[in-house]
Amino acid sequence: MGLFDDLSRFLENRLEEFLRSNPHLELEALLEQLREQEEDTLKLVADLKLQEKRSQEDILSTAQEIQRWHIRVQKAKDAGRQDLATPAQEREAALLREGNQRWGQMQGLKERITQSQELLRKIQQRRQEVQAKAAEAQTVRAQAQAQQRLETNGWSNQTSSYSSGFDDLEDKFRRWETQDELEQMKRNMGK
């Protein structure tokens, strides 16, 4: 496993270096990561809301059972059937405990939904910020490329417009340098 860990670390380091040298790609990677987090959080919120709905249905069902057993307890007491009233009261108490437990679970689900929605809001806000930075970086890159093209075109335009002037100047220098070399040779021969 050490070889795979080393290879994994090496690849992660290379990726980080590449992203640092290409910041616009780093922003794109961050945007993709935020999109995935947003999608996962939306799924989580939907799942939690479904659990909350089921929990509410269970609580309602338990409440109906409690009501049914409460009526039975009263009926048994009114009829003087303590042998039925006592176990019915125990059943009602057990259902009340179960209802309270389910209520607590539902409150926990509601809290998790609230936290997940807050997380979703923060992710969406962060994504908007990163999108703005990516758009800004794209604009800066486009301006830099446009400036580079202007400079490159400027150089090529200058070269073409002065090429005839440079050719004349080149000829003048060649004649002067040739003349200078000839005179240097004459002096050296005369010695």
Side-chain angles (χ1 to χ4, degrees), residues 173-188:
F173 262 95
R174 281 189 186 155
R175 279 194 297 260
W176 175 68
E177 289 168 345
T178 306
Q179 188 66 36
D180 190 46
E181 282 180 37
L182 281 171
E183 288 193 24
Q184 185 70 32
M185 291 168 107
K186 286 180 188 176
R187 274 184 256 144
N188 287 343

Side-chain angles (χ1 to χ4, degrees), residues 147-158:
Q147 182 65 31
Q148 188 176 17
R149 279 194 298 273
L150 278 175
E151 289 172 0
T152 303
N153 289 341
W155 279 105
S156 63
N157 288 343
Q158 287 177 350

Side-chain angles (χ1 to χ4, degrees), residues 21-150:
S21 61
N22 296 287
H24 64 285
L25 294 177
E26 186 173 18
L27 288 173
E28 287 298 320
L30 183 56
L31 268 176
E32 183 58 32
Q33 187 179 32
L34 287 169
R35 274 188 215 106
E36 289 173 8
Q37 287 178 353
E38 183 177 8
E39 190 176 304
D40 291 345
T41 306
L42 281 169
K43 287 178 185 175
L44 176 64
V45 168
D47 183 52
L48 289 171
K49 284 187 175 187
L50 184 62
Q51 288 179 38
E52 179 188 31
K53 187 175 188 310
R54 287 184 192 141
S55 181
Q56 288 171 344
E57 290 169 358
D58 288 345
I59 289 170
L60 184 58
S61 173
T62 303
Q64 289 170 343
E65 276 294 296
I66 292 169
Q67 188 177 21
R68 191 167 69 106
W69 282 100
H70 184 72
I71 292 169
R72 285 181 169 175
V73 166
Q74 280 308 122
K75 202 184 234 185
K77 280 183 180 179
D78 290 347
R81 297 284 313 263
Q82 200 57 36
D83 61 319
L84 291 176
T86 302
Q89 282 178 317
E90 290 171 5
R91 174 73 61 89
E92 181 184 16
L95 286 169
L96 279 168
R97 284 191 299 274
E98 182 182 328
N100 285 337
Q101 186 178 18
R102 288 185 178 184
W103 184 264
Q105 289 171 345
M106 187 185 69
Q107 295 301 359
L109 284 171
K110 285 180 182 266
E111 191 173 315
R112 285 182 63 200
I113 289 171
T114 302
Q115 291 170 348
S116 297
Q117 288 172 330
E118 179 63 20
L119 176 63
L120 179 63
R121 188 189 63 73
K122 286 179 181 177
I123 290 170
Q124 289 170 335
Q125 181 181 357
R126 179 74 174 127
R127 190 170 140 210
Q128 287 174 348
E129 290 169 2
V130 172
Q131 281 176 326
K133 282 183 182 178
E136 182 182 319
Q138 179 67 28
T139 303
V140 168
R141 251 186 31 248
Q143 288 173 346
Q145 288 172 347
Q147 182 65 31
Q148 188 176 17
R149 279 194 298 273
L150 278 175

